[in-house]
Amino acid sequence: MSARDDVLGRVRRALEGVEPGYAVPPSPRISPPADVVGLFVERVEDYRATVVRCTPADLTARVAEALPAGARAVVPDGLGVTVPGAVADTGLTAAELDAIDAVVTEARVGIAETGTIVLDHGPGQGRRAISLVPDLHVCIVRVDQVVPDVPDALPLLDPARPHTWISGPSATSDIELSRVEGVHGPRTLHVIVVD
Amino acid sequence: MSGGTFVGMPAFPKAAQEALGNAQLRHNLAHATGTIRAKRLRLIDEVNANSDWEALRLAGAGVKESALVDLATHLERLEETLTANGATVHWARDAAEANAIVASIAKGHGVDEVVKVKSMVTQEIGLNEALEAEGIAAWETDLAELIVQLGHDLPSHILVPAIHRNRSEIREIFLREMAAVGRPAPDDLTDEPAVLAAAARAHLREKFLRAKVGVSGANFAVAETGTLVVVESEGNGRMCLTLPEVLVSVVGIEKVVPTWEGLDPLLRLLPRSSTGERMNPYTSTWSGISPGDGPQEVHVVLLDNGRTNALADEVGRQALRCIRCSACLNVCPVYERTGGHAYGSVYPGPIGAILNPLLKGPGHDEQVDSLPYASSLCGACFEACPVRIDIPSVLVDLRAQVVDAHRGGVPKVEAVAFKGAAVALSDSRKLGLGERFTRVGLRVARRVGASKWTSARDLPPAPRESFRQWWKRTDGGRP
Ligand code: SF4
C-alpha cells in the first residue's frame, strides 16, 4: 500500500463514527475604528517603522527623501512614481540585489488594527526577492487600501498569488528577550501613506 | 531523536530536578515567560476593548476542529489544489520516510547543503541528523536555532529556543564555532544583542545567497486553495522560501485549514498568543509555483508520524488543534521552574506533556510515559490556549492510559479514578476548570476506594484555595 493510501486509511479509521460536519462559530469583528488610516499609522509606528503621510503631489519628493543620497534602489515594473537612483528589476540575482541599498514598492492592502502591510507581488510591487534582500524598504500605501482588520483583508487577496505580510522591520528577541530590529529582512521599513 | 523525544534523556522527574539546580536557566526562563505573559495579557485586554477574545478563541478552535473531524477529505483536497498549483505532493507515514524524501530531493539536485527555517516538525523527525548522515548540511537560519546548532545544544522553548543561553555565552559560541561552518564572527564581536544579531546576519547571508534548496515547515496549509503559510519574525523564513530554486516543506497532516477565510481567527490569535505582538513581522503565503517569483520547484511532504494515533484518541484528538504558540508554556508553573529540556522532547511544556504520549502511545517509553505527570493540573494552560485545548483533561485521561498500559490492559483503581476525573473535566468545558479538578478528581479517587493509592501518592485533601487561585494571587509565588 502506498504511504498516501496508508495515511489516508489511518485517518479514516481514526475518525470512524465522528460526525464530519462542524459548525465553525463566526470570527468576531472589531468595532469600526473612527480613524482607520490614523490607527494604521499609529500601529505601524509602534513597530518602530518610519511612517510619513503625504498628498499624491508630494509623493515623488517623499520617496526621494526616504532614500539616502546616492543610494541605488531597485524598482519593480509598474511602480507609479519616479525614484532617484532607480535600478529596474531585470531579473537581478540574489547577489546583485544584495549589492543594492534599497527597494521602493507599492502594496496591496494595509491593515489598521495590526499595523500590517500586505504585498501580493503584483505590478508596482515586484517579485518577493526584491523587497527582501535590500536593507531599506520604502513602501507606498494609498489610504483607500487601508482596511480595519485581518478579516477585511483576506477577501481582498487572491490566494493564488504569493503574499508577504509585513508588520514592521524584521526583528528578533532571541538574545535574552531583548528586541533587535533587523536580522535578515530589511532593517529599515519606511512607509509612505498617500492621501 | 527521530521520534521527537531526545534519546537518552532521563525521565521527567530526574531531568526536572537537574534543571531546577541550574540557576541561569531558571532566571532566564522566569524573565522570558513573565515578559511574554504580560505582553500577551495587555493585548487580550486591547482585543476585548473593541472585540471579543473569547469569541476569537472559539472561532480559532472551530476552524481547526472542522478540519480535524473531516481530515481525510481536506487532505485529499489539499493534495489536489497543491498539485494543480504546480507543487509535488509526497506522503510520509513516519520520520524515516519523510527524511528519506527530503534527502532524495536534495541529492537529486546534487547539493551538499540546505537552508532551513525553524520548524518544529523537522526537529520532531530529526531531519538535520538524517541529512547529515547523507552528507548534506542543514543550516538553521533562525537566530535562536543557529545559537542552539552552533552550541551543539538542545532547544529549550518552542518560541525562544536559546532562552537558556545568555549574551556572553552566545558571543563565545559565535567566536568559537562560526568559522568552522562559514563566515567567521568578527574579532571585535561584543555581547550587545544588536552586534550579535548583525554577526548572525552576515554569517547566514552568504548561505542564503548561494542556497539551491530550502527546507521549511508550515504553520497552516489551506486545503481549498493549496496555500502554505509560514509565520516568522526575522526574515530568515522569507529568505528560505524565496531565494532557493527548490523548496521542500514538511507539513504535519494536522496543519490543514479548510478555507482561506479560515486563516482569519488563526492569524489574529497566533502572534498575540505567542510573542505578544499584534502581528509578527513577516507572514509568507505561497500556492505552489509562481512563475518568475521564488522557487520554481516546490515539494510538500505530508507527514503522519503518530498524528493518526492522536486523531484516534477521542479525548486527546484536540491536541492536534495546537498552533504551536507556546502560550501554555509561558503560563505553566512547572515549565517555568524546570525549563524545556526536562521534558526530553522537541515539544515541551503542557502541550508536550500531552502531544508526545499521544503521538507515540503509552507503554513504550518511560520518558514519554512520565510526561502526563509533569503537571500540577492547575488549568492555566487551558485558559491561555488560543484554540482552547483542554490540556488538563487530556493529561488526566493519558495518566489513566499510562497506568492501563503498565498493567497489561487491566484497569487499576487509579486508572478508573483518572478516567472518571477526565470525563468530569471534559464535561465542564469552561474556564475555572482547574478549581473543579482538584476537588472532582479527589472525590472520584475516593469514591472508587483509592485510599491506599492516595496515601501512597501523598495526595493532600482538596484544598480550600486551588493551585490556580494561589498562583494568581501570588503571581506564581513570586516574592
Ligand atoms: S496547546 Fe494551545 S497554548 Fe499550547 S502551544 Fe498549542 S496552541 Fe499554544
Side-chain angles (χ1 to χ4, degrees):
Chain A
M1 196 187 273
S2 71
R4 174 188 188 277
D5 294 345
D6 213 10
V7 173
L8 285 171
R10 289 190 210 168
V11 170
R12 287 201 184 88
R13 278 194 301 283
L15 292 170
E16 257 163 34
V18 174
E19 195 55 54
Y22 187 92
V24 180
S27 197
R29 296 304 191 100
I30 56 168
S31 23
D35 175 9
V36 181
V37 176
L39 182 65
F40 174 72
V41 169
E42 180 193 311
R43 294 282 159 93
V44 176
E45 280 176 338
D46 246 19
Y47 297 121
R48 302 189 212 171
T50 306
V51 186
V52 297
R53 291 188 68 166
C54 73
T55 62
D58 287 342
L59 179 60
T60 311
R62 293 292 97 83
V63 170
E65 282 164 18
L67 298 164
R72 295 199 311 145
V74 60
V75 294
D77 275 354
L79 187 75
V81 63
T82 314
V83 175
V87 179
D89 177 26
T90 49
L92 301 165
T93 64
E96 285 165 338
L97 286 170
D98 195 36
I100 291 179
D101 308 291
V103 55
V104 180
T105 74
E106 293 166 6
R108 176 66 188 87
V109 175
I111 304 174
E113 179 72 11
T114 60
T116 302
I117 296 161
V118 186
L119 307 189
D120 73 359
H121 302 283
Q125 301 167 53
R127 64 199 170 100
R128 285 171 284 173
I130 68 163
S131 42
L132 171 63
V133 180
D135 209 7
L136 164 65
H137 183 187
V138 179
C139 189
I140 301 161
V141 182
R142 294 194 319 268
V143 291
D144 63 5
Q145 293 181 310
V146 180
V147 300
D149 198 8
V150 172
D152 308 295
L154 282 167
L156 300 176
L157 304 173
D158 173 5
R161 304 198 57 84
H163 293 105
T164 307
W165 297 43
I166 299 171
S167 306
S170 91
T172 183
S173 300
D174 280 346
I175 301 170
E176 295 182 11
L177 231 62
S178 102
R179 187 179 160 99
V180 176
E181 262 83 38
V183 193
H184 302 296
R187 283 186 277 197
T188 309
L189 176 66
H190 187 110
V191 180
I192 303 176
V193 180
V194 193
D195 289 337
Chain B
M1 62 179 210
S2 65
T5 40
F6 301 134
V7 173
M9 286 295 291
F12 185 82
K14 186 159 174 286
Q17 205 154 29
E18 284 164 10
L20 279 168
N22 182 341
Q24 172 79 52
L25 173 63
R26 286 183 64 188
H27 172 268
N28 291 2
L29 270 174
H31 173 62
T33 55
T35 306
I36 300 174
R37 261 202 316 266
K39 285 169 77 180
R40 181 182 151 270
L41 287 176
R42 267 202 303 279
L43 281 181
I44 290 172
D45 286 347
E46 184 182 285
V47 169
N48 282 330
N50 71 356
S51 186
D52 182 350
W53 179 255
E54 191 50 32
L56 199 54
R57 283 177 85 210
L58 283 163
V63 166
K64 292 290 291 190
E65 194 64 22
S66 72
L68 291 175
V69 296
D70 198 10
L71 191 57
T73 307
H74 295 304
L75 284 171
E76 282 179 316
R77 178 82 181 124
L78 178 66
E79 178 184 45
E80 194 181 295
T81 52
L82 279 170
T83 308
N85 295 339
T88 306
V89 176
H90 310 258
W91 297 76
R93 296 178 186 88
D94 54 28
E97 284 187 359
N99 289 334
I101 292 165
V102 181
S104 94
I105 294 167
K107 279 191 187 159
H109 289 273
V111 299
D112 58 6
E113 63 173 9
V114 301
V115 286
K116 277 191 68 201
V117 50
K118 172 179 150 74
S119 117
M120 304 290 306
V121 71
T122 55
Q123 270 176 46
E124 173 193 323
I125 62 176
L127 178 63
N128 293 5
E129 293 79 358
L131 289 176
E132 205 179 305
E134 302 275 351
I136 300 162
W139 305 119
E140 290 294 352
T141 61
D142 183 85
L143 179 54
E145 298 291 340
L146 177 73
I147 296 166
V148 168
Q149 189 176 46
L150 289 176
H152 311 291
D153 206 353
L154 298 174
S156 56
H157 189 287
I158 294 182
L159 190 69
V160 275
I163 197 63
H164 57 293
R165 294 289 195 185
N166 64 30
R167 59 182 74 189
S168 58
E169 288 177 300
I170 295 167
R171 174 176 173 271
E172 274 164 37
I173 291 170
F174 280 10
L175 283 171
R176 195 176 62 228
E177 303 287 341
M178 271 183 175
V181 291
R183 188 182 169 135
D187 291 335
D188 57 355
L189 189 72
T190 69
D191 64 4
E192 266 305 298
V195 172
L196 293 169
R201 177 185 168 97
H203 177 79
L204 287 172
R205 187 144 292 218
E206 66 167 16
K207 292 191 162 61
F208 287 134
L209 295 182
R210 69 168 187 236
K212 283 213 163 49
V213 178
V215 176
S216 81
N219 293 87
F220 308 108
V222 183
E224 169 196 64
T225 60
T227 308
L228 298 192
V229 181
V230 163
V231 171
E232 53 132 355
S233 293
E234 296 173 10
N236 59 313
R238 292 175 70 191
M239 292 278 178
C240 292
L241 302 172
T242 308
L243 298 185
E245 293 158 22
V246 181
L247 173 61
V248 190
S249 305
V250 182
V251 182
I253 54 173
E254 84 286 14
K255 295 292 171 194
V256 175
V257 169
T259 66
W260 178 250
E261 271 75 22
L263 290 173
D264 164 38
L266 301 170
L267 288 177
R268 284 195 278 167
L269 288 163
L270 177 54
R272 289 180 172 100
S273 302
S274 82
T275 46
E277 296 170 296
R278 295 188 186 100
M279 194 58 86
N280 48 287
Y282 299 132
T283 297
S284 297
T285 80
W286 72 102
S287 300
I289 292 168
S290 312
D293 185 348
Q296 296 299 297
E297 183 180 324
V298 170
H299 298 266
V300 179
V301 183
L302 296 173
L303 173 75
D304 181 349
N305 206 33
R307 284 157 178 76
T308 47
N309 293 342
L311 192 67
D313 187 308
E314 237 178 286
V315 180
R317 180 179 303 142
Q318 56 185 314
L320 296 178
R321 296 206 295 253
C322 176
I323 55 175
R324 312 279 188 262
C325 72
S326 72
C328 58
L329 280 65
N330 297 328
V331 298
C332 178
V334 177
Y335 176 81
E336 182 174 285
R337 278 154 181 74
T338 60
H341 290 158
Y343 294 82
S345 160
V346 296
Y347 302 111
I351 182 61
I354 60 171
L355 196 57
N356 296 302
L358 284 165
L359 295 177
K360 295 189 163 186
H364 303 302
D365 179 320
E366 190 205 348
Q367 168 68 23
V368 171
D369 283 355
S370 72
L371 289 176
Y373 295 89
S375 165
S376 63
L377 298 174
C378 73
C381 47
F382 171 59
E383 214 174 298
C385 179
V387 287
R388 302 183 96 257
I389 300 171
D390 186 353
I391 295 174
S393 293
V394 181
L395 279 168
V396 170
D397 188 66
L398 284 168
R399 288 181 187 183
Q401 292 186 31
V402 167
V403 172
D404 277 355
H406 287 274
R407 296 258 307 169
V410 185
K412 209 176 175 176
V413 67
E414 60 207 82
V416 176
F418 282 134
K419 277 273 185 225
V423 169
L425 279 174
S426 304
D427 285 349
S428 77
R429 295 262 166 250
K430 59 181 178 102
L431 304 181
L433 134 162
E435 283 93 327
R436 291 199 48 173
F437 170 72
T438 323
R439 297 202 191 92
V440 172
L442 293 180
R443 215 180 305 129
V444 174
R446 296 215 173 80
R447 194 168 61 233
V448 296
S451 60
K452 251 196 188 150
W453 170 68
T454 49
S455 60
R457 299 297 164 92
D458 218 14
L459 267 189
R464 245 167 314 181
E465 182 180 46
S466 78
F467 184 86
R468 196 166 60 91
Q469 285 161 342
W470 169 83
W471 177 256
K472 273 206 162 148
R473 179 170 62 77
T474 61
D475 192 21
R478 272 179 208 81

